[in-house]
Amino acid sequence: MSYSAIKAKAEKQWDWLENLPQPLIQLGMGTCGRASGADDIMRSVQQTLKELKLLARTMEVGCIGMCYLEPLMAVRKPGRPFIVYGNLTPDKTQKILKRYLMEDDPCAKWSVCSIGKDRIDGIPTFEEHPMLGAQVRIALRNCGLIDPGNIDHYIARRGYSGLQRALDMSPAEVIEEVKASGLRGRGGAGFPTGLKWEFARNSLKDTSTIVCNADEGDPGAFMDRALLEGDPHAVLEGMLIGAYAIGAAQGFIYVRAEYPLAIERLIKALADMHACGLLGDAVLNSKFRFDIQIKEGAGAFVCGEETALMASIMGRRGMPHARPPFPAQSGLWGKPTNINNVETFSNVSAILQNGASWYAGFGTEKSKGTKTFSLAGKVQRTGLIEVPMGMELREIIYSIGGGGPKGKQIKGVQTGGPSGGCIPAERFDLTVDYESLASVGSIMGSGGMVVMDQDTCMVDMARYFLTFTQAESCGKCLPCRLGTHQMLDILEDICAGNGTPADIDLLADLSETVQKGSLCGLGQTAPNPVQTTLRYFKDEYEDHVLRHKCNAGACKPLFHYEINEELCNGCGVCLRRCSTGAISGKKKEPHRIDSTKCTKCGICYQSCKQQAVAIL
Amino acid sequence: MEQAQDALHIQPPLWPQILIMEDEMSVAKGLELVLSEEGYTVDLAMNGRSALDSFDRRDFDLLIADLRLPDIDGMEVIKRVKHRRPDTGVIVITGYSTVPSAVEAMKLGATDYLSKPFTDDEFMSAVKGALDEQKVLHAGAAQAAVAKPAVTVLEPLPEDLQQVHDIMAQIRQQFSGTREELIPMLQKVQNHLGFIPEPALEEIAHFTRTPAASVYGVVTFYEQFRLHPVGRHIVKVCRGTACHVKGAERILNEIETRFGMSPGQTSDDRMFTLETVACFGSCAIAPVVVVDDSVKGRMDPSKTSEVMAAVEPADLDPNQS
Ligand SMILES: Cc1cc2nc3c(=O)[nH]c(=O)nc-3n(C[C@H](O)[C@H](O)[C@H](O)COP(=O)(O)O)c2cc1C
Ligand code: FES
């Protein structure tokens, strides 16, 4: 089919949806939504509509990024904007539908914002919402707004116009366009995408292969999952454009096995593409021939590394190998191979749709465009965001993220996963781009941001990351294998209360040895979490080794819980929730903790509304 | 810096002690060289008897065992060593890479299996894997004192094995038998049975014309694959950064005290198998626990217990096992 034919069909459908004479109810059915009970909400909606004998349409959408409010629902009456409601329960859902659809009460107190042209009294618009307003959504342009299982929705919102534009250009022109946009790879290293494509194209022997890296192994990062679940075609279009540019006829998407919903969405998307003539022997009636296969990962972090990923696709152990040869020279089955990240491809399709100079208008001089981040940990508004490169951390964490949990002080943020570092709150004036994050010893990485507050122990964080890297080290070189092992031993000692001041110096020295002596990226960056915590949170290390105290209440041998009798009002919540029976006390009288029975599980500390449980 | 260099070279008692049991002098010396270059302490035994003698004298963390020896069968040595000191890591190497011996070795608790010839890299990665696994076992053993008994390794049930035939028939229809289909085939078997039984592995090796030992190599490399059956329900606790910050460790402790399982173990009633995962990509609703296929966000220790306790009464489906 030609592009104009599929476009005409898609626009017709979108028009119909836009001008629906009945109410339209959208439900966020991404993994976060489902994990928070979206299925129950869907049932409640259907039941309520039946009870009220109301004709309304329901539609599944992906994640809009406000995961902290899941499950979410958006309701649109004909001729009005959508109203988004969050933190739903089946009961609340029923009330909202009854009141808004039958009595025209928009239930402003339960609403989050409105999406659409007009405004509704008492409800902030999308642009006014503190989490959404400051964002610039390019990679995530459709997430949460379209049905990801419906290719027409994507096409109606200019989808595949970028591909059509690329097909009207020569491959070399497409590469020039991507180069001019300044786009750098979003998988971690930030290598210029256009340049990478040029290498792949130049080493063209016979046919080459293009791979989309959807392994997303960094713990704490979920941008790629949300993107694949919420708008798979944005990624697939980018992949087609890349394939055309480098001259590939075959593509693979390597997806983590932990992402079943993303895989499901991709399977549907590929089938729809075949039906529309977007894959196969003559893509959009051109001479370009291309097909895509899905490869499911099998749970090995190192398979996100490109050479390991290729070994895995070929059915082998996913062991990285030294480069050169680079994948562009000799990759899958010895053929030139180009690997890009999910988000990189989603940006590519936007660039071809809107032009390189439009894209280059966002961001900083060296880091163009936008970056998605997954905001998690001790921050009020957790979720998925996309901001222009160069935004200050402060704005991301306080304005968009809403700061720390009530009454808690934010200590820092961890960026870049196990290869990244911990940035202290005093440095939140830092801007996010590849260079400035590196300047404080962290990295951009794929975009995970885990916020930490006073209840997070930084020594424990360093230990945690080393447990991870030590286990994932492939064992090839001595500094990485034994060095991370020894660093972990020292950190475990410190967390167990057996550390000495000399250990701190030793840790610093070892970090340097491992960093300088390791062969690959994993080992070279493994000390980052230790080095940054040593640099910015040395006092906590000293508390552990000199005073044998863990003030955050994370290292069990170094603290205990006590109830402050003046603050305790004897409500009994802690007593009921304690699973070992360590708490006693009469109702309305101060309670006590029996330290011989206490396992320090922390449930009393977390559940006390009076904050009467103290860490000592 | 100097201090750190020193630290890397202080060896016993910190560094693992390894015994190589191998009758071919050249191979034994070669492996010793690789290991000692990497900083390990290595002893050699040229036959089964002297290997057992060495174990009489002191403990080793890891045994690297050739199966074909001039005196005792290598398998017998492994059995005795494991009997005496169950947490010894074992890597089996052999020129006869037959599946039955690999399977038997795995059953006896071997961590990995290498068939000659292998590269230094493959060897080192197997050694590292075995030592890492041991570390986990040690940690588990320290905590097991408070918990009810849990089982680490379950034996397959006859009905599991009966199903292999049907699954393999499907696989032969669906796949063409190329090497790159290996992982998808293994995934299909595991999706059906929860683990990969030995006969299925053998058939897949045959179908893909891949040496069985390489198929083992792939299965042991990827965390996802299991060689042993699991409980009726699988509980996965995320240990990713966001979940760690929000208290995943407390959830694991709770499961440990309530249900007697540490990660990798199955409760003695075959009800639950506990696993950990590096991140589910649902970090915004951390901490995350996945029970079977259902992802649960914003968990805490007591909610986890509740969810686990509610699993079975709710679906008393007799067919589900
Ligand atoms: C240990 C390790 C893990 C990695 N994991 C990922 C990953 O999960 N996703 C990803 O896109 N890139 C990952 N990378 C980077 C890839 O090797 C590769 O650079 C990237 O996919 C290239 O895509 P880009 O140019 O679009 O960024 C990892 C690298 C290393 C060293
Ligand atoms: S860190 Fe647990 S889901 Fe990502």
Side-chain angles (χ1 to χ4, degrees):
Chain A
M1 256 192 266
S2 72
Y3 176 66
S4 50
I6 59 172
K7 185 163 177 252
K9 175 172 159 281
E11 279 175 348
K12 217 162 125 190
Q13 206 196 98
W14 188 256
D15 265 358
W16 168 82
L17 190 74
E18 291 273 86
N19 300 307
L20 209 62
Q22 301 102 25
L24 177 64
I25 300 167
Q26 292 183 337
L27 285 151
M29 297 297 268
T31 299
C32 288
R34 288 193 175 162
S36 310
D39 289 314
D40 293 340
I41 304 305
M42 180 62 109
R43 270 191 292 278
S44 168
V45 167
Q46 273 153 359
Q47 201 183 339
T48 311
L49 293 177
K50 217 185 214 168
E51 268 168 32
L52 301 177
K53 298 206 170 50
L54 262 178
L55 205 60
R57 293 253 158 198
T58 56
M59 175 178 148
E60 286 188 18
V61 294
C63 174
I64 197 161
M66 294 192 281
C67 308
Y68 71 111
L69 289 173
E70 294 280 7
L72 285 159
M73 160 176 88
V75 184
R76 185 187 71 193
K77 286 176 123 178
R80 299 230 191 127
F82 278 103
I83 305 177
V84 181
Y85 301 95
N87 276 332
L88 294 172
T89 58
D91 189 45
K92 197 158 140 187
T93 309
Q94 191 181 23
K95 281 190 187 134
I96 292 170
L97 292 181
K98 259 188 196 152
R99 289 190 198 162
Y100 187 37
L101 299 183
M102 306 292 285
E103 296 151 23
D104 210 23
D105 163 14
C107 302
K109 66 172 174 185
W110 287 326
S111 74
V112 179
C113 67
S114 66
I115 303 179
K117 273 194 227 85
D118 302 318
R119 69 158 50 242
I120 292 179
D121 274 349
I123 298 178
T125 62
F126 188 88
E127 292 73 22
E128 286 163 0
H129 189 278
M131 184 174 192
L132 301 168
Q135 297 190 40
V136 175
R137 293 163 87 87
I138 294 177
L140 304 174
R141 55 197 178 274
N142 293 318
C143 280
L145 304 177
I146 64 169
D147 177 354
N150 188 333
I151 192 172
D152 287 335
H153 286 192
Y154 179 70
I155 295 171
R157 290 174 56 97
R158 306 193 51 222
Y160 291 106
S161 64
L163 173 66
Q164 181 59 56
R165 188 170 156 239
L167 292 175
D168 292 337
M169 297 162 42
S170 73
E173 282 168 347
V174 175
I175 292 176
E176 277 315 311
E177 178 90 358
V178 174
K179 271 172 138 179
S181 74
L183 175 65
R184 294 167 66 173
R186 301 296 192 237
F191 192 83
T193 306
L195 207 57
K196 195 187 241 184
W197 289 7
E198 200 167 60
F199 289 147
R201 175 146 201 101
N202 289 345
S203 73
L204 187 81
K205 289 177 219 154
D206 39 2
T207 49
S208 55
T209 308
I210 193 160
V211 179
C212 174
N213 186 346
D215 197 43
E216 196 161 56
D218 270 6
F222 54 92
M223 301 79 49
D224 295 350
R225 173 186 63 72
L227 187 45
L228 289 173
E229 285 178 7
D231 193 16
H233 289 287
V235 181
L236 294 167
E237 181 181 357
M239 214 174 148
L240 259 70
I241 294 168
Y244 173 74
I246 68 165
Q250 175 67 49
F252 291 97
I253 306 184
Y254 188 89
V255 197
R256 303 181 70 191
E258 288 82 359
Y259 288 180
L261 183 59
I263 293 170
E264 197 182 301
R265 293 266 148 87
L266 282 169
I267 292 172
K268 170 80 168 69
L270 293 182
D272 289 346
M273 287 170 75
H274 270 289
C276 293
L278 283 158
L279 284 176
D281 284 337
V283 172
L284 292 177
N285 291 343
S286 71
K287 289 206 181 84
F288 173 48
R289 180 172 66 87
F290 188 61
D291 210 344
I292 298 178
Q293 234 182 304
I294 301 171
K295 284 278 178 183
E296 227 179 282
F301 170 72
V302 77
C303 284
E305 197 279 336
E306 52 193 23
T307 59
L309 184 149
M310 292 190 300
S312 181
I313 289 183
M314 293 186 286
R316 301 177 192 284
R317 284 178 165 227
M319 295 274 276
H321 71 69
R323 298 169 303 181
F326 285 92
Q329 300 159 323
S330 170
L332 285 167
W333 297 283
K335 291 181 177 168
T337 303
N338 180 81
I339 300 176
N340 282 118
N341 164 266
V342 170
E343 188 183 334
T344 310
F345 280 129
S346 182
N347 279 303
V348 165
S349 52
I351 290 167
L352 267 289
Q353 284 169 18
N354 300 295
S357 53
W358 162 80
Y359 189 81
F362 300 99
T364 65
E365 198 198 326
K366 283 189 179 161
S367 303
K368 296 289 181 204
T370 54
K371 178 78 195 83
T372 61
F373 290 100
S374 45
L375 210 47
K378 304 293 187 68
V379 58
Q380 299 252 358
R381 300 189 200 107
T382 57
L384 179 69
I385 59 163
E386 181 170 357
V387 296
M389 293 272 193
M391 187 180 266
E392 278 187 17
L393 276 173
R394 187 190 318 281
E395 189 171 359
I396 295 179
I397 290 162
Y398 290 102
S399 309
I400 296 179
K406 259 202 199 84
K408 305 270 181 185
Q409 190 94 37
I410 290 188
K411 216 181 232 184
V413 64
Q414 209 279 343
T415 70
S419 316
C422 300
I423 302 168
E426 302 87 80
R427 299 301 314 272
F428 281 2
D429 56 337
L430 214 68
T431 57
V432 289
D433 58 67
Y434 293 96
E435 281 73 24
S436 85
L437 287 176
S439 76
V440 290
S442 189
I443 58 166
M444 174 88 90
S446 51
M449 272 194 187
V450 181
V451 179
M452 295 167 293
D453 71 358
Q454 65 194 67
D455 292 340
T456 318
C457 166
M458 301 314 270
V459 185
D460 174 67
M461 279 321 282
R463 182 195 62 82
Y464 164 78
F465 281 114
L466 268 188
T467 318
F468 188 88
T469 31
Q470 198 267 334
E472 298 294 341
S473 158
C474 78
K476 230 176 187 173
C477 66
L478 173 86
C480 175
R481 187 180 64 250
L482 294 189
T484 54
H485 197 292
Q486 170 132 31
M487 285 167 73
L488 179 58
D489 278 344
I490 296 174
L491 284 163
E492 277 175 349
D493 272 350
I494 298 180
C495 291
N498 303 325
T500 63
D503 283 342
I504 299 184
D505 300 329
L506 186 55
L507 209 49
D509 287 345
L510 272 168
S511 295
E512 218 173 296
T513 312
V514 174
Q515 187 177 44
K516 292 200 174 129
S518 293
L519 281 177
C520 87
L522 196 137
Q524 287 157 8
T525 56
N528 283 352
V530 177
Q531 286 183 317
T532 49
T533 47
L534 273 175
R535 187 178 319 156
Y536 299 115
F537 301 95
K538 190 142 189 190
D539 53 328
E540 293 194 28
Y541 282 88
E542 287 167 355
D543 282 341
H544 282 65
V545 299
L546 298 176
R547 287 171 279 283
H548 296 280
K549 277 279 154 229
C550 175
N551 295 325
C555 304
K556 285 193 178 179
L558 300 182
F559 75 96
H560 64 273
Y561 290 114
E562 255 178 51
I563 296 179
N564 181 335
E565 298 195 356
E566 275 163 28
L567 293 175
C568 176
N569 63 0
C571 72
V573 166
C574 59
L575 188 149
R576 283 194 297 280
R577 300 202 70 182
C578 176
S579 63
T580 57
I583 299 181
S584 58
K586 291 208 185 90
K587 226 178 163 99
K588 305 223 165 114
E589 283 177 24
H591 287 36
R592 287 177 163 280
I593 299 178
D594 176 351
S595 61
T596 56
K597 286 191 194 158
C598 175
T599 57
K600 300 181 189 170
C601 75
I603 194 87
C604 53
Y605 178 77
Q606 281 164 358
S607 54
C608 181
K609 293 229 162 58
Q610 311 300 317
Q611 303 194 340
V613 181
I615 296 168
L616 290 171
Chain B
M1 201 60 181
E2 231 163 64
Q3 204 179 0
Q5 298 288 6
D6 281 350
L8 282 176
H9 289 107
I10 310 171
Q11 291 169 359
L14 211 61
W15 299 131
Q17 316 273 310
I18 301 176
L19 180 70
I20 300 175
M21 175 173 78
E22 164 70 68
D23 61 334
E24 263 177 68
M25 192 55 155
S26 58
V27 178
K29 281 284 174 203
L31 296 181
E32 184 189 16
L33 188 70
V34 178
L35 287 172
S36 47
E37 264 179 4
E38 303 285 1
Y40 293 106
T41 314
V42 186
D43 268 12
L44 293 184
M46 305 303 291
N47 54 48
R49 175 96 352 251
S50 73
L52 288 172
D53 286 347
S54 301
F55 267 91
D56 276 343
R57 282 196 301 276
R58 64 189 173 97
D59 281 347
F60 290 89
D61 299 279
L62 180 63
L63 169 67
I64 292 166
D66 188 356
L67 290 185
R68 217 171 44 117
L69 299 168
D71 54 349
I72 323 175
D73 178 18
M75 210 64 88
E76 186 56 35
V77 179
I78 298 175
K79 214 180 277 174
R80 289 199 212 165
V81 165
K82 275 282 185 187
H83 181 72
R84 247 184 264 173
R85 195 170 169 265
D87 56 353
T88 313
V90 177
I91 294 172
V92 171
I93 43 175
T94 179
Y96 296 91
S97 63
T98 52
V99 174
S101 54
V103 172
E104 207 184 319
M106 293 314 221
K107 276 191 187 152
L108 291 174
T111 324
D112 212 340
Y113 188 92
L114 289 168
S115 69
K116 293 181 208 165
F118 45 83
T119 65
D120 288 358
D121 285 348
E122 281 167 339
F123 178 61
M124 278 320 300
S125 114
V127 168
K128 183 180 173 289
L131 291 172
D132 279 353
E133 187 154 307
Q134 235 196 334
K135 213 171 158 177
V136 174
L137 280 180
H138 276 308
Q143 286 157 343
V146 282
K148 285 177 286 166
V151 209
T152 310
V153 173
L154 288 181
E155 291 307 321
L157 300 168
E159 43 285 24
D160 292 336
L161 300 178
Q162 276 159 18
Q163 289 189 46
V164 169
H165 185 76
D166 296 345
I167 293 169
M168 282 312 300
Q170 286 177 25
I171 285 183
R172 279 177 190 278
Q173 263 188 352
Q174 203 180 330
F175 296 92
S176 54
T178 57
R179 172 73 195 237
E180 69 257 33
E181 290 169 335
L182 182 59
I183 295 174
M185 286 183 212
L186 293 167
Q187 282 167 332
K188 193 171 163 85
V189 173
Q190 181 154 306
N191 278 347
H192 276 266
L193 294 177
F195 75 110
I196 299 167
E198 160 214 335
L201 204 147
E202 211 169 321
E203 278 205 48
I204 288 179
H206 189 247
F207 184 35
T208 52
R209 287 177 297 277
T210 308
S214 319
V215 179
Y216 261 97
V218 168
V219 168
T220 49
F221 180 83
Y222 294 98
E223 211 124 299
Q224 186 190 35
F225 294 124
R226 309 183 194 96
L227 283 165
H228 296 284
V230 283
R232 288 194 295 286
H233 304 281
I234 297 186
V235 178
K236 296 184 194 156
V237 177
C238 176
R239 262 184 172 166
T241 319
C243 291
H244 179 81
V245 167
K246 292 250 182 145
E249 213 63 35
R250 297 187 159 133
I251 293 177
L252 282 171
N253 287 344
E254 169 85 3
I255 297 178
E256 189 118 37
T257 36
R258 289 258 172 137
F259 297 87
M261 289 173 286
S262 25
Q265 292 188 320
T266 301
S267 57
D268 62 346
D269 53 2
R270 283 194 177 231
M271 174 101 149
F272 295 110
T273 295
L274 178 64
E275 294 184 344
T276 58
V277 165
C279 173
F280 282 107
S282 299
C283 328
I285 49 171
V288 174
V289 175
V290 177
V291 180
D292 296 327
D293 286 329
S294 143
V295 183
K296 318 255 178 210
R298 306 187 185 102
M299 295 301 276
D300 64 31
S302 46
K303 269 200 239 169
T304 308
S305 282
E306 279 163 33
V307 168
M308 284 175 69
V311 164
E312 199 101 311
D315 55 49
L316 274 177
D317 180 358
N319 297 326
Q320 206 184 9
S321 66

